[in-house]
Amino acid sequence: MASAPGKVILFGEHAVVYGEPAIAAAIRRRVYVSVEEIATDRIEIESRNLKIRESMRLEKCTRGELEGVSAELKPLWHLCHKMLELHGHPLKHGLRVEIRSEIPESAGLGSSAALATALALALKEIFSVDMSPNDIWNIAFESEKIVHGRPSGIDNTLSLHGGVILYRKGSMKRIRLGQTIPLVVGDTGVSRSTGKMVARVRMLREKYPDVIEEVIRAIGRLSLLSVQALVDGDLEKLGDLMNINQGLLEALGVSSPEISMLVNAARKAGALGAKLTGAGGGGCIIALPAKNAINNVVESIKRVGRDAFLAEIEFEGARIESGGAHG
Amino acid sequence: MASAPGKVILFGEHAVVYGEPAIAAAIRRRVYVSVEEIATDRIEIESRNLKIRESMRLEKCTRGELEGVSAELKPLWHLCHKMLELHGHPLKHGLRVEIRSEIPESAGLGSSAALATALALALKEIFSVDMSPNDIWNIAFESEKIVHGRPSGIDNTLSLHGGVILYRKGSMKRIRLGQTIPLVVGDTGVSRSTGKMVARVRMLREKYPDVIEEVIRAIGRLSLLSVQALVDGDLEKLGDLMNINQGLLEALGVSSPEISMLVNAARKAGALGAKLTGAGGGGCIIALPAKNAINNVVESIKRVGRDAFLAEIEFEGARIESGGAHG
C-alpha cells in the first residue's frame, strides 16, 4: 500500500497565470492505493469513494487498448499501461488495485495527482523495479495530463515530496517551515471549472488592464510577503494576508456567494484569515484558525451546511504504508 | 420650505484619503425643511424622523448660548445662531423649523449636510437676505463640522449643487452626465464608524505597505475609468467597476458579512454591480440594477431583512419647494 497527500494553494492563484509567484502546500489528507496480486490474468481497479470497479485483461492493458473505461479511472488505466509498457510484467498473476481517499474529488485539492502518485509508487513496489523520484513524477504527470490538459506540475510535486512550494511559471522553490500550520478546509460543494475561471480573469484583464494588472501585482507581492510569515509561523500575518488575498480574488470576479458564506462563517468562528483556494467560483476555502479555535471553525462551516475538516500542512510526501501491499 | 439631496460615494472611498480620486453623486432622496413664523419669541425645531422637538428663546439663540440642546439638533441650533448673528433678526416673531427626511441617518448618505444646506436655504428665504451659493455652502459647512470634525466638503457641495463630482484631496471637478442612473441603496442597519474604518486601513497599510499601496492605486485607476462610463451611461462597465471596487474594499478590510450579504442579494437579483458606499464596516451598499431589475434588486435586499430603496442620481441641488414656507 502506498499513499500520497493532497494540496491547497495558500496564496497567489490566478496571479500565477500572469507570471506572479504563488504558494502551495501539501495537506495531511491522503489517497491510499493498495495493490495486490490476484490469481487471474486481469487487472481490477476499484475506487471506494467513487464506487466504481472496473477490470481488464493484462495483455489488453499492456497494449494500451483502453477503450471503454470510465473517464474517472482512465488516468489510472493509462498509468498501469505505462508501467507495464516500461517494465514489462514482472508478476505471474493479475493485480487488484484498491483506492481509498481522504481528499474530496474535483475540489481543487489535488486528489487526482495524489492518486496517480500513490498508484505509481505502489506499482513500483509490487513490480520491484528501480524508479527514481523523478521517474515517479514523470509517470504521474503523464497520467495527470489526461485529467487536466495542461497541469502546472505543482500538484504532482507536492504529492510526491510534501511540504510548501513557492512557484512561478517555470520555477519551483521549496520553503522550509519550522512547524506545521493548521488549516481548515471548507467545501462549498459547488463544482468549479478552472478553465472558466481563468478565462473570466483574462477577459476582465483585457477590459480593464490598468486596474486588473495592479490587482495581480498586489497578489504577487502578497505571496512573496507570506514566505517569511510561513517560515516564522506568524499566524496573525498569514491570516491578514489570506484576508487581503480573498478581497483581491473577489476583485478578479472568481469568488461566489457560497465562498463568501464559508469565509465569513470561518472568520466569525475565530479564523485569523480565510480565502478561497484554487480556481474559485466554487470548490474549497481554507481558513487559518486561531489557537484553540480549530473545532469552532470546523463546526461553524458545518453549521451553514457544508463539509469541513482540519488539514494541517504535511511535510511528508508519497510513501509506502506499513502493512502495505506485500503484507 | 427648502430641500436638499443626500449623496452616495460611487467609487474610491478610503483611497481618497491617500490622494486618489473618488466619485460621489447626489441622490434623489431629500431632506425637507420648512420654516414659518410663529407668534412667540422662541425658535422651535422639530425633527419628525428623530422624534425630537426642542425650543429656545430667540435672544438666547442669537447670543449662541446653546447649552442643553441635544447632540442631534446641535448643528441646527448652531446654524440658526450663525444666521441670526450674521443677519440680525429681520422678523418680528419666533420661528418654527420642521424637518422631514427621506435619507436614513448615520448611514453615510450625507443626511446631515443635506439638512444643514436645506435649513440654511430656508432661513435665507424667510429672512429675505442676500446670500450667494458660496455663503450657503460656508454656513452649512460650519454646521457640518460640529457633526463630523473634519468633513471633506463633498457632502455639502453635492447637497447644494446636485450632480456628480470627481474629487481628490483639495480639488473637485463636476462630471456632466447625459441621463440619470438608477441606484438601489440597501441599508445594513449596522451603524458605521468612519474614523474606525479609516484607522483600520491606515494600520493595514503600515503593516503591508507594498500590497496595500497597490490596492489603493488600483482603486484610484478604477475611479478614473468610471468617469467615461458615467458620461456614456455604460451601465455594464459601471457594474464591473463597482464589483472590482467592492473586492478591493474587501482587501482593505472594510467590508463586513452584512455588506457581503446585501451585495450578493443584489447581484443575484440582477444588479450589474454592487458595493459598499462610504466608510464600510456597516452603513449602506449601492447596487446598479440592470434594466427592469430595479424592483427585483430592492425586493431581494428586503427579503434578507434589510431596508432598500431606489435612489437615482439627482442633478438638482438644494431648492425652494413650491408651496413653501411663505405659502
Side-chain angles (χ1 to χ4, degrees):
Chain A
M1 177 146 73
S3 75
K7 72 97 194 13
V8 292
I9 298 179
L10 293 175
F11 297 100
E13 45 273 274
H14 287 291
V16 77
V17 175
Y18 302 96
E20 297 292 337
I23 314 282
I27 53 172
R28 205 162 285 172
R29 287 266 156 166
R30 292 182 166 262
V31 174
Y32 295 86
V33 175
S34 71
V35 183
E36 56 179 355
E37 285 188 74
I38 50 173
T40 70
D41 62 347
R42 301 181 76 84
I43 300 183
E44 290 176 22
I45 303 183
E46 178 171 3
S47 163
R48 288 203 201 165
N49 299 61
L50 297 175
K51 295 188 174 60
I52 299 180
R53 186 176 164 170
E54 292 174 3
S55 102
M56 186 185 300
R57 286 189 42 239
L58 261 170
E59 291 142 62
K60 206 162 166 268
C61 187
T62 308
R63 288 196 302 270
E65 294 166 358
L66 306 181
E67 306 78 19
V69 302
S70 67
E72 287 86 350
L73 298 191
K74 191 170 183 199
L76 304 185
W77 284 115
H78 187 263
L79 198 149
C80 289
H81 157 63
K82 281 285 165 194
M83 283 294 286
L84 290 166
E85 194 183 50
L86 277 168
H87 302 292
H89 180 51
L91 306 170
K92 292 174 195 138
H93 303 295
L95 290 174
R96 179 171 159 69
V97 176
E98 206 177 291
I99 299 154
R100 188 170 58 76
S101 175
E102 299 169 344
I103 310 168
E105 277 91 24
S106 306
L109 300 181
S111 69
S112 61
L115 178 49
T117 304
L119 177 59
L121 184 61
L123 289 174
K124 160 187 149 26
E125 279 297 299
I126 206 163
F127 286 8
S128 292
V129 290
D130 249 2
M131 288 177 81
S132 69
N134 206 37
D135 294 336
I136 299 277
W137 193 95
N138 279 321
I139 202 163
F141 189 64
E142 283 305 312
S143 151
E144 185 71 350
K145 279 187 188 164
I146 295 173
V147 193
H148 283 310
R150 282 168 47 195
S152 65
I154 303 306
D155 291 14
N156 283 287
T157 299
L158 289 169
S159 278
L160 188 61
H161 296 296
V164 181
I165 278 178
L166 169 80
Y167 66 104
R168 291 180 199 257
K169 268 188 173 168
S171 84
M172 292 192 204
K173 203 184 135 187
R174 180 164 291 271
I175 301 171
R176 297 198 184 277
L177 275 62
Q179 67 298 306
T180 187
I181 286 171
L183 293 169
V184 171
V185 176
D187 190 345
T188 63
V190 179
S191 75
R192 77 209 198 294
S193 159
T194 303
K196 203 174 126 191
M197 290 296 124
V198 169
R200 177 180 290 195
V201 174
R202 190 172 299 282
M203 227 169 65
L204 206 64
R205 182 168 169 272
E206 275 165 19
K207 273 166 102 174
Y208 312 109
D210 283 7
V211 178
I212 299 301
E213 279 165 18
E214 205 92 56
V215 174
I216 287 167
R217 256 198 306 276
I219 295 176
R221 292 190 172 189
L222 176 158
S223 295
L224 285 181
L225 276 185
S226 77
V227 173
Q228 195 58 47
L230 282 161
V231 171
D232 297 344
D234 185 341
L235 301 188
E236 202 86 29
K237 188 169 173 182
L238 286 171
D240 282 353
L241 294 173
M242 284 169 74
N243 287 336
I244 299 171
N245 200 164
Q246 171 62 18
L248 297 174
L249 287 161
E250 296 250 4
L252 295 182
V254 297
S255 192
S256 77
E258 288 76 19
I259 289 169
S260 291
M261 183 176 71
L262 298 200
V263 160
N264 285 326
R267 288 177 187 160
K268 207 176 75 180
L272 299 168
K275 63 182 279 292
L276 68 85
T277 181
C284 289
I285 69 141
I286 49 172
L288 182 67
K291 275 200 168 65
N292 305 322
I294 294 173
N295 285 337
N296 273 354
V297 172
V298 170
E299 290 309 314
S300 178
I301 294 172
K302 286 186 174 169
R303 228 172 292 127
V304 296
R306 300 301 191 278
D307 196 27
F309 54 85
L310 175 64
E312 292 160 295
I313 289 180
E314 170 64 294
F315 298 119
E316 211 180 340
R319 67 184 177 214
I320 301 298
E321 295 289 332
S322 60
H326 296 279
Chain B
M1 177 146 73
S3 75
K7 72 99 196 10
V8 292
I9 298 180
L10 294 175
F11 298 100
E13 45 274 273
H14 287 291
V16 77
V17 175
Y18 302 96
E20 296 293 338
I23 314 283
I27 54 172
R28 206 162 283 173
R29 286 265 156 167
R30 292 182 167 260
V31 175
Y32 296 87
V33 175
S34 71
V35 182
E36 55 179 355
E37 285 187 73
I38 51 173
T40 69
D41 63 346
R42 301 181 75 84
I43 299 182
E44 291 176 22
I45 303 183
E46 178 171 1
S47 163
R48 288 201 200 167
N49 299 61
L50 298 175
K51 295 188 175 58
I52 298 180
R53 186 177 165 170
E54 290 173 3
S55 104
M56 186 185 300
R57 286 191 41 239
L58 261 170
E59 289 144 61
K60 207 163 162 267
C61 187
T62 307
R63 288 196 303 271
E65 294 167 358
L66 307 181
E67 307 78 19
V69 303
S70 67
E72 288 86 351
L73 297 192
K74 192 172 180 194
L76 305 184
W77 284 116
H78 187 264
L79 199 150
C80 288
H81 157 62
K82 281 286 166 192
M83 283 293 287
L84 289 166
E85 194 183 51
L86 277 168
H87 302 292
H89 181 51
L91 306 171
K92 289 170 199 141
H93 303 295
L95 289 174
R96 180 173 157 68
V97 176
E98 205 177 291
I99 300 154
R100 189 170 58 76
S101 175
E102 299 169 345
I103 311 168
E105 277 91 23
S106 306
L109 301 180
S111 68
S112 59
L115 178 49
T117 305
L119 176 59
L121 185 60
L123 289 174
K124 161 188 146 28
E125 279 297 299
I126 205 164
F127 286 7
S128 292
V129 290
D130 249 2
M131 288 177 81
S132 68
N134 206 38
D135 294 336
I136 299 276
W137 194 96
N138 278 321
I139 201 162
F141 189 65
E142 284 304 313
S143 151
E144 185 72 349
K145 278 187 188 166
I146 295 175
V147 194
H148 284 310
R150 281 169 47 197
S152 65
I154 304 304
D155 291 14
N156 282 287
T157 300
L158 288 168
S159 278
L160 187 61
H161 296 296
V164 181
I165 279 178
L166 169 79
Y167 66 104
R168 289 180 201 258
K169 268 187 173 171
S171 83
M172 292 192 203
K173 203 182 134 188
R174 179 163 291 270
I175 300 172
R176 297 198 182 277
L177 276 61
Q179 67 298 307
T180 187
I181 287 172
L183 293 170
V184 171
V185 176
D187 190 346
T188 62
V190 178
S191 76
R192 77 208 198 295
S193 159
T194 303
K196 202 175 125 193
M197 290 296 123
V198 169
R200 176 179 289 194
V201 174
R202 190 174 299 282
M203 227 169 65
L204 207 64
R205 182 167 169 270
E206 275 164 19
K207 272 165 102 175
Y208 312 110
D210 284 8
V211 178
I212 299 301
E213 278 165 19
E214 205 92 56
V215 174
I216 287 168
R217 255 198 306 276
I219 295 176
R221 291 191 173 187
L222 176 158
S223 294
L224 284 181
L225 275 183
S226 77
V227 173
Q228 195 58 46
L230 282 162
V231 171
D232 297 345
D234 185 341
L235 300 188
E236 203 86 31
K237 189 169 174 183
L238 286 172
D240 283 352
L241 294 173
M242 283 169 74
N243 288 335
I244 298 171
N245 200 163
Q246 172 61 19
L248 297 175
L249 287 161
E250 296 251 2
L252 295 182
V254 297
S255 192
S256 77
E258 288 77 20
I259 289 169
S260 291
M261 183 177 73
L262 298 200
V263 160
N264 285 326
R267 288 178 187 160
K268 207 176 75 179
L272 299 168
K275 64 183 277 292
L276 68 85
T277 181
C284 289
I285 70 140
I286 49 173
L288 183 66
K291 276 201 168 66
N292 305 322
I294 294 173
N295 285 337
N296 274 353
V297 172
V298 169
E299 290 309 314
S300 179
I301 294 172
K302 287 186 174 171
R303 228 173 290 127
V304 295
R306 298 302 190 277
D307 196 28
F309 55 84
L310 173 64
E312 294 160 294
I313 289 178
E314 170 65 295
F315 298 120
E316 209 178 342
R319 67 186 178 213
I320 301 298
E321 295 287 332
S322 60
H326 296 279

